[in-house]
Amino acid sequence: MTAPPRRALPNAVRIIGGQWKRSKLPVMNAAGLRPTPDRVRETVFNWLGQDLSGWRCLDAFAGSGALGFEAASRNAAQVVLLERDRALAQGLKEAQQRLAAVSLRVENVEAMAWMARCEPGVFELIFLDPPFDAQLTWPALARAVRPRAQGGIVYLESAEPFEAGALAGLGWRAYRTGRAGMVHFALLQRL
């Protein structure tokens, strides 16, 4: 998998919908960090719906936290953000406190190990947006089976397009796909 050319990171991303619309989340300069662009998040949450009341969500490679905070802003009942980088995790906790995001929990852990040992069948929505250069897209998708609730959805973001055969080989199908520049994204369901 090839990573898109590195571009300058914004110093903040804004939450685009829900109760914290227009609130900013700081973006630190960290290796592999690449916040999901505004227009991609807008598309994804148009697909999912603007109200996620009752949903339990997992943002497995949180980074800036943009995806997880968007879900919490739209009334998700529970949002767990996993981030292995200590400084990024601390920044997420500070944003959580600033916004008084009581439905959101930040864990400073390695996402792959956490998904391997977590309680099964908990999350209706799982965001998978690993660093493009980490070669984690397919392993993360395989690990997402355990935490995913029956009928749950996985959002996947990658530098490469998603081939139906490769997805089917892992037991998934894309029912919505999009592309914004070098970013390919999809909503997936189990076959």
Side-chain angles (χ1 to χ4, degrees):
M1 213 178 271
T2 59
R6 185 151 174 99
R7 63 182 183 0
L9 289 175
N11 61 1
V13 293
R14 67 182 174 89
I15 298 173
I16 57 171
Q19 64 182 323
W20 302 313
K21 185 176 183 174
R22 295 185 190 92
S23 297
K24 291 188 177 183
L25 300 172
V27 176
M28 296 181 183
N29 192 7
L33 183 61
R34 177 197 34 75
T36 300
D38 287 2
R39 69 181 186 181
V40 171
R41 283 183 282 122
E42 184 173 11
T43 299
V44 169
F45 284 95
N46 283 339
W47 291 344
L48 293 168
Q50 297 300 313
D51 186 7
L52 301 182
S53 293
W55 292 39
R56 294 164 297 173
C57 306
L58 174 66
D59 188 350
F61 301 89
S64 70
L67 292 166
F69 276 91
E70 289 284 359
S73 184
R74 289 166 167 79
N75 304 314
Q78 176 187 19
V79 180
V80 177
L81 280 73
L82 309 178
E83 178 50 56
R84 68 179 177 158
D85 182 283
R86 187 178 310 256
L88 290 176
Q90 182 58 40
L92 294 171
K93 288 177 183 177
E94 290 167 6
Q96 173 195 19
Q97 290 170 353
R98 180 174 48 83
L99 295 171
V102 295
S103 67
L104 194 137
R105 184 175 87 232
V106 178
E107 294 198 22
N108 183 206
V109 296
E110 199 280 320
M112 296 294 283
W114 190 94
M115 288 191 290
R117 63 173 163 54
C118 72
E119 181 182 348
V122 172
F123 299 99
E124 285 84 18
L125 176 58
I126 300 173
F127 298 106
L128 297 177
D129 181 15
F132 285 169
D133 60 356
Q135 306 292 316
L136 288 173
T137 301
W138 300 113
L141 188 55
R143 286 279 167 89
V145 172
R146 180 180 177 91
R148 182 188 147 277
Q150 182 71 28
I153 300 166
V154 169
Y155 167 82
L156 184 63
E157 194 171 308
S158 174
E160 302 293 328
F162 306 110
E163 305 223 0
L167 289 170
L170 290 173
W172 298 94
R173 76 169 186 90
Y175 71 95
R176 293 281 190 137
T177 60
R179 179 178 178 193
M182 299 291 292
V183 176
H184 298 268
F185 55 99
L187 292 181
L188 309 176
Q189 293 175 320
R190 290 296 282 171
L191 290 174

